[in-house]
Amino acid sequence: AIDPQFHENRENVDEHEGHTVWGPVDEPEQLGIHGTHVAVDFDLCIADGACLEDCPVDVFEWVETPGHPESEEKADPVNEAQCIDCMLCVDVCPVDAIDVDAG
Ligand code: SF4
Ligand code: F3S
Ligand code: ZN
């Protein structure tokens, strides 16, 4: 499962589509965590798609990740600022790749 303390245990290494990327990143095999309030561990995501289907405010969009061992697309939290903290995505992800800091 995603480390809920990722913001303490990982380094901010990049920006992508307006959100932070938390390393380590070694493309294409290792992609890190995308987002902070809504964080998706790209190295765990298997492209199940339940988060995209269920999010009521369309926080996620697919991003292509060819060459990644788990899946060749990932749910990217491009609209994380719109999150209403419903926690649906956290509940439906089969591999616990998502952390939402509802604080
Ligand atoms: Fe969307 Fe709810 Fe997940 Fe926020 S917590 S990203 S609103 S499904
Ligand atoms: Fe990936 Fe989990 Fe969504 S596997 S596509 S983050 S439901
Ligand atoms: Zn991203």
Side-chain angles (χ1 to χ4, degrees):
I2 186 171
D3 174 9
Q5 303 301 320
F6 68 87
H7 49 284
E8 291 167 13
N9 295 334
R10 292 174 177 240
E11 304 271 326
N12 171 349
V13 295
D14 202 0
E15 293 282 318
H16 179 244
E17 300 287 338
H19 52 258
T20 299
V21 179
W22 302 86
V25 171
D26 183 14
E27 296 178 359
E29 296 90 357
Q30 190 172 31
L31 300 173
I33 290 175
H34 282 231
T36 302
H37 181 74
V38 180
V40 180
D41 192 327
F42 274 22
D43 295 309
L44 298 178
C45 175
I46 57 170
D48 176 84
C51 57
L52 275 95
E53 283 174 29
D54 288 1
C55 178
V57 291
D58 295 331
V59 162
F60 306 98
E61 286 180 9
W62 290 119
V63 62
E64 303 293 313
T65 58
H68 189 270
E70 295 298 337
S71 58
E72 302 218 324
E73 56 185 356
K74 307 294 178 183
D76 199 23
V78 292
N79 299 313
E80 72 172 349
Q82 296 179 29
C83 175
I84 57 171
D85 299 343
C86 72
M87 307 308 269
L88 265 175
C89 58
V90 173
D91 291 341
V92 296
C93 178
V95 292
D96 290 331
I98 308 175
D99 180 73
V100 174
D101 179 13

